[in-house]
Amino acid sequence: MPHCAIHRLAERALQYSIAPPASLEVQQRIWAMADRAAGWRGVTDVVPGMNNLTLLFDGSADADALAHNLRLAWASGEKREASGRLVEIPVRYGGDYGPDLNAVAAHTGLSPREVVRRHSEGSYVVYFLGFQPGFAYMGGLPHELATPRRAEPRMVVPAGSVGIGGEQTGIYPAAAPGGWQLIGLASTPLFVPDRDPPSLLAAGDTVRFVAEEIHA
């Protein structure tokens, strides 16, 4: 049983955190907690994160009662299954699209094409959205592809870049600084403000990458 703790983040914010490692089962329990907590008195927002759940509440809520309810919700063991929604995202791997593909290959001891094969054959579940609008943190990266972040982050990572950071893979919805190892580029828009919903991906979705081009 992982260690759990409750932190008071602000006057009207609580966070329930679960010790690593991250896993799909833990996230499923966090999703279920979020569904339940959304209906509690005084709760104004619920924010699932990686191995944690943050509650924002107003003056009508009792923080101690919320903390007690969080403990009970976690102890119940209730889980919410993934939504079953499958999103396929075409990716151009390597070359100018994925300038770190060779570095990932060197770290893993695999050929660049084998890195692409294993990455594109994986099935990834969206744990939560964060960092920037539409950025999905996903579980499911094959363990043999895990690669540390770059020693020197880039000042600008192009929108659509597909990267590996430690034991996770993800896509940058918009240009931003970043230190993940870039292995490809996706042209599918992940976040469009006037779309309903604006984010292509949501917690519980399953993502598969489709190798559209390979430059290796």
Side-chain angles (χ1 to χ4, degrees), residues 24-46:
L24 178 57
E25 180 180 3
V26 167
Q27 288 304 126
Q28 288 172 332
R29 291 177 68 175
I30 288 172
W31 299 336
M33 289 175 67
D35 292 343
R36 184 183 296 190
W40 293 343
R41 178 184 176 184
V43 172
T44 59
D45 199 6
V46 293

Side-chain angles (χ1 to χ4, degrees), residues 72-99:
L72 292 179
W74 175 259
S76 74
E78 182 181 356
K79 295 189 292 185
R80 171 159 66 84
E81 299 300 319
S83 66
R85 180 171 174 263
L86 173 63
V87 181
E88 294 189 339
I89 299 179
V91 178
R92 292 171 286 181
Y93 286 95
D96 292 338
Y97 304 115

Side-chain angles (χ1 to χ4, degrees), residues 13-199:
L14 290 174
Q15 184 179 83
Y16 192 91
S17 60
I18 301 96
S23 70
L24 178 57
E25 180 180 3
V26 167
Q27 288 304 126
Q28 288 172 332
R29 291 177 68 175
I30 288 172
W31 299 336
M33 289 175 67
D35 292 343
R36 184 183 296 190
W40 293 343
R41 178 184 176 184
V43 172
T44 59
D45 199 6
V46 293
V47 185
M50 184 70 76
N51 280 39
N52 62 67
L53 176 66
T54 299
L55 300 187
L56 305 180
F57 51 91
D58 61 25
S60 68
D62 182 321
D64 291 336
L66 291 178
H68 179 68
N69 288 342
L70 283 169
R71 294 188 185 96
L72 292 179
W74 175 259
S76 74
E78 182 181 356
K79 295 189 292 185
R80 171 159 66 84
E81 299 300 319
S83 66
R85 180 171 174 263
L86 173 63
V87 181
E88 294 189 339
I89 299 179
V91 178
R92 292 171 286 181
Y93 286 95
D96 292 338
Y97 304 115
D100 298 323
L101 177 59
N102 289 337
V104 172
H107 176 80
T108 60
L110 302 170
S111 70
R113 285 188 172 270
E114 184 64 13
V115 170
V116 172
R117 185 186 72 81
R118 298 191 187 199
H119 186 266
S120 60
E121 287 184 353
S123 183
Y124 307 91
V125 176
V126 177
Y127 284 2
F128 72 103
L129 303 181
F131 170 55
Q132 59 179 220
F135 188 101
Y137 285 84
M138 298 181 281
L141 180 72
H143 66 87
E144 65 273 17
L145 297 185
T147 305
R149 291 167 173 78
R150 289 169 52 89
E152 295 185 10
R154 291 180 170 89
M155 294 301 295
V156 179
V157 172
S161 292
V162 178
I164 291 176
E167 298 179 351
Q168 287 189 294
T169 189
I171 313 167
Y172 286 78
W180 288 30
Q181 306 281 356
L182 306 184
I183 62 172
L185 189 72
S187 58
T188 304
L190 295 183
F191 187 84
V192 180
D194 57 359
R195 183 171 60 191
D196 185 22
S199 177

